[in-house]
Amino acid sequence: MPAAPRPDLASTWARVAALAERSGRDPAEVLSPERLSRLCGVEPALIPRVVAGTAPEVPLCRRVHRRFLRLRATRRDKHGREWSLAAIAEDFQAPGASLGPLNAGTGLPRLGHAAGVQRFFGVYAGFLLADSQCAVERALAATGSGAAEDLEHLSYLTGMPPNDIRLTLDGAPPRLPLKEQVHQRFEHLRRTRLRADGQAHSLAAIAHSFDASGQSLTRLTRGEGLPNLAAAAGIQRFYGVDGGFLLADDTEALATALSGIEQELETAGRTAENPMLAVLRAHDVRSIVTRAGRLSPAGWKSLADHLDDLLAREGQLGRPGAGRERPHRVAVPDDRKAAEGGAR
């Protein structure tokens, strides 16, 4: 089962740039690679390539190592110094030496340690795990931005039982041990994301997607242990869910789901808006109207006749609102332009 299709990052980039401009903010500042990098952990120089879809995927071990170093470099203590490994590990009752391999890039942390590091630095639960595209999507969404939705739908999106969602919305989220939370969410994925024949995916099929054996997931299905970090990343990629699905605490999981619903509703609202408003937003109508305002009545008739001729030429005459829409001219990263030029 392939991962769920993700939104086109270039289109998302263009929408965020347009929203920034409409709200009076500089798109270059809102979408600066340094700002996005801080939000998602992808190196600033890689951001344009990720948006263009030309960046190579970094192996998990290197990716987690780089993101950890970026957390230490960009989230410092009150004296402006990097947090020591001992201080970070102490927050989740572990020795500083346990983070040595992660800091050196020679090994992956345990899942509980990864969760602890992300909690310590206050980043979203998939920060260390998310692949580049997922990380940048998340950062782009954060540059914009709930709406309430039925509990069953929120349960599907978050892996949380409806009653836990209600408690979380009331500000009293239940606190599950990480092992139990990961077990519950894995079982939720298997129960709600089925094969085409309506059956649950086998452990062997899931594990095979990240070159492991089905037996490696047996203890997870029994709630007897945590998967390693590579297995957690593989499970989430297999089911096409957010990089922090298994790790996010209930409040964060619910916030992510509500944010997604809010974006869906905003998109639907834009699609269903008044056709005339859509035309006004999509085209430089104001300058045309300003110049046309100086025309005589005969000039207005001539302009209307000319528009009819143009519409007839494009096969649009007699189809109100069916004119071809000119896209917003929004800057996208140079790599995207290069990729499009090569395609032509």
Side-chain angles (χ1 to χ4, degrees):
M1 172 179 170
R6 294 181 183 144
D8 175 15
L9 283 182
S11 298
T12 306
W13 182 287
R15 286 198 304 274
V16 172
L19 283 170
E21 203 163 1
R22 282 206 293 272
S23 62
R25 298 183 62 186
D26 180 5
E29 178 187 338
V30 171
L31 291 169
S32 74
E34 291 72 22
R35 181 175 187 235
L36 291 174
S37 177
R38 178 182 170 84
L39 290 168
C40 69
V42 176
E43 289 85 345
L46 270 181
I47 297 284
R49 297 182 64 190
V50 174
V51 175
T54 60
E57 190 49 55
V58 179
L60 183 65
C61 189
R62 265 178 63 208
R63 185 167 80 224
V64 173
H65 165 61
R66 285 182 183 177
R67 302 241 175 110
F68 179 63
L69 294 186
R70 187 136 193 88
L71 282 175
R72 295 188 72 202
T74 59
R75 277 107 169 142
R76 297 173 177 259
D77 67 17
K78 62 182 179 182
H79 305 295
R81 296 191 292 260
E82 285 190 354
W83 289 96
S84 68
L85 299 183
I88 299 168
E90 182 184 5
D91 192 60
F92 49 91
Q93 291 81 52
S98 65
L99 294 179
L102 170 60
N103 193 60
T106 57
L108 286 169
R110 295 166 55 188
L111 195 63
H113 286 37
V117 167
Q118 291 166 157
R119 195 178 309 114
F120 178 86
F121 284 107
V123 293
Y124 74 96
F127 189 94
L128 293 177
L129 283 177
D131 63 29
S132 295
Q133 184 170 349
C134 182
V136 174
E137 278 173 27
R138 180 98 182 201
L140 287 173
T143 60
S145 234
E149 184 70 17
D150 69 271
L151 297 183
E152 290 298 330
H153 184 49
L154 287 174
S155 177
Y156 175 84
L157 293 172
T158 62
M160 296 163 53
N163 188 56
D164 286 359
I165 290 174
R166 187 178 289 107
L167 290 172
T168 303
L169 289 171
D170 290 341
R175 299 293 179 188
L176 288 176
L178 183 64
K179 183 170 69 173
E180 187 178 342
Q181 173 188 299
V182 172
H183 166 65
Q184 282 190 9
R185 297 210 181 148
F186 178 58
E187 290 302 309
H188 171 82
L189 285 173
R190 296 191 70 209
R191 188 172 60 252
T192 59
R193 275 80 167 171
L194 303 173
R195 297 185 321 206
D197 62 3
Q199 300 299 308
H201 289 275
S202 69
L203 298 183
I206 299 167
H208 179 70
S209 71
F210 51 91
D211 302 319
S213 68
Q215 287 182 327
S216 65
L217 298 180
T218 302
R219 294 186 69 232
L220 173 59
T221 62
R222 296 173 180 162
E224 296 174 353
L226 286 168
N228 60 39
L229 208 61
I235 290 167
Q236 290 165 156
R237 191 178 304 112
F238 179 85
Y239 282 107
V241 292
D242 182 83
F245 188 92
L246 295 175
L247 288 176
D249 65 30
D250 286 353
T251 300
E252 184 177 33
L254 188 53
T256 299
L258 287 172
S259 176
I261 291 169
E262 184 179 22
Q263 289 176 11
E264 288 175 15
L265 292 174
E266 287 176 350
T267 301
R270 286 195 295 270
T271 304
E273 69 183 348
N274 185 303
M276 184 60 72
L277 288 178
V279 171
L280 288 170
R281 286 185 179 137
H283 303 274
D284 189 12
V285 173
R286 282 178 297 181
S287 65
I288 297 173
V289 171
T290 300
R291 285 176 287 166
R294 300 198 293 270
L295 291 172
S296 66
W300 272 104
K301 184 178 184 312
S302 177
L303 177 61
D305 291 339
H306 185 56
L307 284 173
D308 284 344
D309 289 340
L310 286 174
L311 288 169
R313 232 177 289 161
E314 295 187 1
Q316 306 293 338
L317 193 61
R319 292 172 56 196
R324 267 189 274 181
E325 190 176 65
R326 184 177 66 195
H328 294 291
R329 294 192 173 273
V330 183
V332 298
D334 291 340
D335 277 30
R336 175 73 178 187
K337 294 176 186 173
E340 290 173 347
R344 288 194 291 271

